[in-house]
């Protein structure tokens, strides 16, 4: 728990002032509880984070040596103290909520996220009222090439304003709509905490540069919802820098989250405006049980879709949006990370309808090593780029991960039975054809 709490909070309290979702809670200090399909890292010290970075570098090298178009996966909680991810996530969420509240005041509640557009004039007044900047000082903010051309500001414009106008020292300032003031999320950062934050960014930079040199795509794994806004934002910054010529950095979207579609559409639109290559891995999500229990216990809105069917709809909706983007710009790339046969069939059908050929290598498929080979092998034989996700490490660390995968969902045993039936059918076919040890009769 101490790695998720700042020195200022330990000394003077104040953690209870934090947004409920971004508070530490003793009952959920061990983030492995209820997690069935993901590796969990815990912060020990900066030296341990350096060790994790070295391991990731070796993995990038290994991937480069074994495949021309390799992927390697990393987790940001392995690269730094999670306190920063928690606090930065809360800041990002509060600024975004502030935008939505201003949009509601201008009669735009209920619109799709990218259709919300604030009148620049009213926004300037709101910023002045909050004491962020005077109207005269902000005048030139809205006359640039990208902002205020139409006299309105959307959420992407808003984010770029915050990026360009907020120094690191003001990073943890958030608007309080009740008091109408800009308030610090923390009273202060210690020098060591400031260094820890910078070291995390440096480790990410080192990994991205090595991946670029080796021609390996780097997938940044998704994590718990209270870390995810910061993880996605930091990944976005890497994409802006390293995805200029091709998609090297891939962000991960968990489609069991209610906000998944909004996040995908916003990031795709940003890549269009700035001209870089969008790369994503789409998953359903690994932390549902833990997320639901935590939301209920601490008392905030459950971030997860209410049913499995809703999650399926969300997955296909996000996937379809990205496939349409590939058709129109050829600058988007997606890893369909799924063991769901219906999802794979949906992808193949939409690729055919949209004229996306497998040889373009814009759509990849991924399954876990040892699972769903009846999906993986036919895809590979048909010429689709398909990958096996390989867990690696000391046996004592990997076995718990693999045992949790065996409980992945209620359909696991049905899938195992199906794989057994398919294998037995193939054995019988080969026996009858007299070619037991050859795939060809």
């Amino acid at each position: 728990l101490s790695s998720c709490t700042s020195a200022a909070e330990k000394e003077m309290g104040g953690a209870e002032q934090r947004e409920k979702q971004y508070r530490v809670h003793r009952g959920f200090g061990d983030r492995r509880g209820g997690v069935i399909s993901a590796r969990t890292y815990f912060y020990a010290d900066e030296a341990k984070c350096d060790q994790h970075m070295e391991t990731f570098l070796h993995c990038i090298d290994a991937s480069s040596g074994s495949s021309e178009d390799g992927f390697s996966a990393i987790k940001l909680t392995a690269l730094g103290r999670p306190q920063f991810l928690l606090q930065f996530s809360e800041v990002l969420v509060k600024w975004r909520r502030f935008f939505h509240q201003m949009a509601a005041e201008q009669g735009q509640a209920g619109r799709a996220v990218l259709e919300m557009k604030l009148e620049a004039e009213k926004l300037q007044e709101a910023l002045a009222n909050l004491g962020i900047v005077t109207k005269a000082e902000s005048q030139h903010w809205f006359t640039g090439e990208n902002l205020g051309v139409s006299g309105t500001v959307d959420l992407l414009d808003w984010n770029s304003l915050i990026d360009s106008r907020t120094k690191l020292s003001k990073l943890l300032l958030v608007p309080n709509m009740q008091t109408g003031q800009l308030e610090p999320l923390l009273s202060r950062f210690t020098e060591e905490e400031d260094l820890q934050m910078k070291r995390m960014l440096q480790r990410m930079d080192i990994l991205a540069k090595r991946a670029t040199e080796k021609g390996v795509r780097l997938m940044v794994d998704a994590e718990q919802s209270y870390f995810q806004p910061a993880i996605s934002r930091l990944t976005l910054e890497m994409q802006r820098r390293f995805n200029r010529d091709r998609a090297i950095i891939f962000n991960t979207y968990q489609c069991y989250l209610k906000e998944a579609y909004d996040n995908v559409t916003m990031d795709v639109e940003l890549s269009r405006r700035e001209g870089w290559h969008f790369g994503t891995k789409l998953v359903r999500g690994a932390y549902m049980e833990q997320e639901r229990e935590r939301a209920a216990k601490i008392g905030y809105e459950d971030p997860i879709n209410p049913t499995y069917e809703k999650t399926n709809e969300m997955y296909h909706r996000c996937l379809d949006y990205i496939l349409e983007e590939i058709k129109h710009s050829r600058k988007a790339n997606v890893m369909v990370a799924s063991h769901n046969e219906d999802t794979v069939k949906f992808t193949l059908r939409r690729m055919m309808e949209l004229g996306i050929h497998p040889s373009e290598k814009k759509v990849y498929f991924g399954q876990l090593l040892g699972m769903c080979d009846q999906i993986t092998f036919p895809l590979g034989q048909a010429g689709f780029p398909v990958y096996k996700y390989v867990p690696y490490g000391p046996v004592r660390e990997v076995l718990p991960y693999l045992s949790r995968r065996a409980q992945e969902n209620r359909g696991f045993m049905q899938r195992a039975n199906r794989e057994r039936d398919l294998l037995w059918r193939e054995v019988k076919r080969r026996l009858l054809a007299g070619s037991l040890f050859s795939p060809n009769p």
Side-chain angles (χ1 to χ4, degrees), residues 84-126:
F84 169 55
L85 295 175
L86 263 179
Q87 291 164 343
F88 191 28
S89 290
E90 183 172 359
V91 169
L92 292 168
V93 165
K94 283 190 169 178
W95 277 110
R96 184 166 170 175
R97 189 179 302 148
F98 178 55
F99 177 91
H100 281 288
Q101 284 175 291
M102 287 192 290
E105 286 171 11
Q106 292 190 19
Q108 299 187 39
R111 287 192 187 179
V113 67
L114 282 172
E115 290 173 12
M116 290 182 179
K117 298 184 189 296
L118 303 181
E119 291 176 35
E121 183 81 18
K122 289 183 180 175
L123 176 56
Q124 284 176 282
E125 287 171 14

Side-chain angles (χ1 to χ4, degrees), residues 89-264:
S89 290
E90 183 172 359
V91 169
L92 292 168
V93 165
K94 283 190 169 178
W95 277 110
R96 184 166 170 175
R97 189 179 302 148
F98 178 55
F99 177 91
H100 281 288
Q101 284 175 291
M102 287 192 290
E105 286 171 11
Q106 292 190 19
Q108 299 187 39
R111 287 192 187 179
V113 67
L114 282 172
E115 290 173 12
M116 290 182 179
K117 298 184 189 296
L118 303 181
E119 291 176 35
E121 183 81 18
K122 289 183 180 175
L123 176 56
Q124 284 176 282
E125 287 171 14
L127 293 171
N129 292 339
L130 273 169
I132 298 173
V133 66
T134 68
K135 200 168 177 184
E137 287 171 332
S138 68
Q139 199 71 45
H140 66 285
W141 290 12
F142 301 92
T143 55
E145 237 175 76
N146 301 319
L147 290 174
V149 174
S150 60
T152 61
V153 176
D154 67 15
L155 187 54
L156 291 178
D157 295 329
W158 172 247
N159 286 341
S160 68
L161 267 181
I162 300 305
D163 285 347
S164 61
R165 304 296 161 186
T166 309
K167 295 188 176 72
L168 197 62
S169 59
K170 290 188 174 181
L171 180 69
L172 299 180
L173 289 176
V174 292
N176 183 325
M177 293 300 283
Q178 277 71 46
T179 63
Q181 296 296 313
L182 203 61
E183 297 176 354
L185 187 67
L186 280 178
S187 56
R188 61 186 169 82
F189 250 178
T190 66
E191 192 176 338
E192 177 56 26
E193 285 170 341
D194 204 40
L195 282 171
Q196 287 167 353
M197 181 168 68
K198 287 172 183 169
R199 285 189 204 118
M200 177 187 274
L201 302 177
Q202 287 164 355
R203 291 180 190 113
M204 290 174 66
D205 193 58
I206 289 167
L207 291 170
K209 283 177 178 169
R210 178 69 67 88
T212 304
E213 287 165 16
K214 297 284 184 176
V216 171
R217 275 73 60 87
L218 200 60
M219 295 189 296
V220 181
D221 275 349
E223 304 196 43
Q224 283 90 347
S225 63
Y226 41 90
F227 292 137
Q228 195 55 45
I231 291 170
S232 288
R233 187 53 166 271
L234 294 174
T235 305
L236 199 65
E237 294 307 317
M238 290 166 68
Q239 289 180 311
R240 283 170 143 166
R241 289 178 56 207
F242 294 97
N243 286 10
R244 287 286 158 195
D245 301 319
R246 58 181 294 224
I248 290 286
I249 309 299
F250 278 58
N251 198 1
T252 302
Y253 297 89
Q254 299 176 102
C255 293
Y256 67 9
L257 292 176
K258 294 172 182 174
E259 61 180 26
Y261 183 76
D262 282 352
N263 292 337
V264 167

Side-chain angles (χ1 to χ4, degrees), residues 379-416:
L379 283 171
Q381 287 165 346
F384 290 89
V386 61
Y387 293 80
K388 282 299 196 185
Y389 194 96
V390 185
Y392 60 91
V395 171
R396 63 187 167 77
E397 289 186 24
V398 175
L399 274 179
Y401 169 88
L402 294 175
S403 68
R404 291 197 301 272
R405 291 289 347 190
Q407 310 164 34
E408 187 184 21
N409 59 44
R410 288 167 298 180
F412 177 79
M413 287 314 296
Q414 286 95 318
R415 282 209 306 271

Side-chain angles (χ1 to χ4, degrees), residues 59-99:
C59 184
I60 290 168
D61 292 344
S63 183
S64 169
S66 62
S67 169
E68 278 185 21
D69 293 301
F71 279 92
S72 188
I74 65 169
K75 271 199 159 149
L76 291 202
T77 50
L79 297 175
R81 193 172 172 199
Q83 169 213 335
F84 169 55
L85 295 175
L86 263 179
Q87 291 164 343
F88 191 28
S89 290
E90 183 172 359
V91 169
L92 292 168
V93 165
K94 283 190 169 178
W95 277 110
R96 184 166 170 175
R97 189 179 302 148
F98 178 55
F99 177 91

